[in-house]
């Protein structure tokens, strides 16, 4: 467990257990961002998504993300081709494995616990628009993912969702509501399929192959 992260239950006895970090401050409006911060954010997004994400070096890619405000724990890997938005709103714990071409749209913030596996081509989107708004107003809601969660390939997690500790999201699922601890969900929209045993949560999925 990283020293800067704890995972107490969310509000309510049945709520998913999600990371609580002192350095995670979800963004609910763009008006709080200064012009300089917006420019820096845009430069980081453009450079990472067009150049840095394709460099075959974990060290360089993660150093770049940290330089632009992301917090990434020890032994975590983020493989090539990932796309990011609002780098300063990304928080990832220790020993997480992030696959190829994952999208982190962190407009309101994405907070991920320890020992989490997110497979390739997954999309995590912490923002949307109000279809009833004449201005097509942005609605910013953070996404939380608890320790030992496993998000399988091509799943989509939309804004405001919390994925509980040890939960599993099946491939190609669309998650539009909270997932309880240890639940296995799948489908469009995702519904509960079964439960995972607590005894399974003993691994540390460090995966950092050379040049990946």
């Amino acid at each position: 467990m990283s020293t800067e992260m704890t995972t107490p239950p969310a509000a309510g006895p049945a709520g998913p257990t999600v990371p609580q970090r002192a350095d995670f401050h979800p963004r609910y409006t763009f008006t709080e961002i200064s012009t300089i911060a917006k420019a820096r954010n845009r430069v980081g997004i453009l450079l990472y998504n067009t150049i840095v994400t394709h460099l075959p070096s974990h060290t360089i890619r993660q150093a770049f993300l940290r330089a632009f405000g992301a917090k990434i724990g020890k032994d975590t890997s983020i493989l090539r081709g990932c796309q990011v938005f609002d780098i300063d709103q990304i928080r990832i714990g220790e020993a997480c494995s992030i696959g190829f071409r994952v999208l982190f749209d962190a407009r309101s913030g994405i907070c991920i616990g320890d020992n989490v596996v997110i497979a390739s081509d997954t999309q995590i989107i912490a923002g949307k628009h109000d279809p009833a708004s004449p201005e097509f107003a942005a609605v910013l809601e953070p996404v939380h993912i608890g320790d030992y969660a496993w998000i399988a390939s091509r799943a989509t997690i939309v804004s405001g969702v919390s994925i509980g500790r040890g939960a599993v999201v099946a491939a190609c699922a669309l998650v539009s509501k909270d997932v309880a601890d240890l639940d296995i969900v799948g489908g469009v929209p995702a519904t509960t399929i079964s439960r995972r045993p607590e005894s399974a949560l003993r691994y540390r999925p460090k995966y950092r192959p050379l040049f990946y």
Side-chain angles (χ1 to χ4, degrees), residues 139-164:
V139 179
L140 305 182
E141 299 172 312
V143 172
H144 296 82
I145 300 177
D147 297 348
Y148 293 101
W150 172 23
I151 315 299
S153 296
R154 298 191 176 184
T156 298
I157 299 169
V158 300
S159 62
V161 166
S162 292
I163 307 294

Side-chain angles (χ1 to χ4, degrees), residues 26-144:
R27 180 181 293 146
Y28 295 98
T29 174
F30 290 123
T31 60
E32 64 190 68
I33 312 172
S34 69
T35 300
I36 293 175
K38 287 180 180 178
R40 183 173 183 271
N41 181 46
R42 184 56 58 86
V43 168
I45 290 170
L46 291 174
L47 289 176
Y48 188 84
N49 291 343
T50 57
I51 299 172
V52 178
T53 189
H54 303 294
L55 299 177
S57 168
H58 294 278
T59 300
I60 292 174
R61 293 196 303 270
Q62 292 197 27
F64 184 94
L65 292 173
R66 290 184 175 107
F68 279 84
K71 304 294 185 183
I72 304 170
K74 179 182 177 183
D75 291 335
T76 283
S77 61
I78 302 173
L79 302 188
R80 289 184 290 108
C82 289
Q83 299 286 292
V84 298
F85 293 92
D86 295 75
I87 297 172
D88 64 307
Q89 291 295 103
I90 295 173
R91 301 290 181 267
I92 304 174
E94 292 187 357
C96 293
S97 176
I98 313 298
F100 293 103
R101 299 175 302 278
V102 170
L103 170 65
F104 285 141
D105 181 345
R107 282 173 285 175
S108 183
I110 296 172
C111 187
I112 299 171
D114 296 332
N115 305 304
V116 172
V117 175
I118 300 178
S120 298
D121 298 304
T122 291
Q123 298 193 344
I124 302 174
I125 305 169
K128 59 187 178 184
H129 291 274
D130 179 1
S133 167
E135 296 80 25
F136 199 52
V139 179
L140 305 182
E141 299 172 312
V143 172
H144 296 82

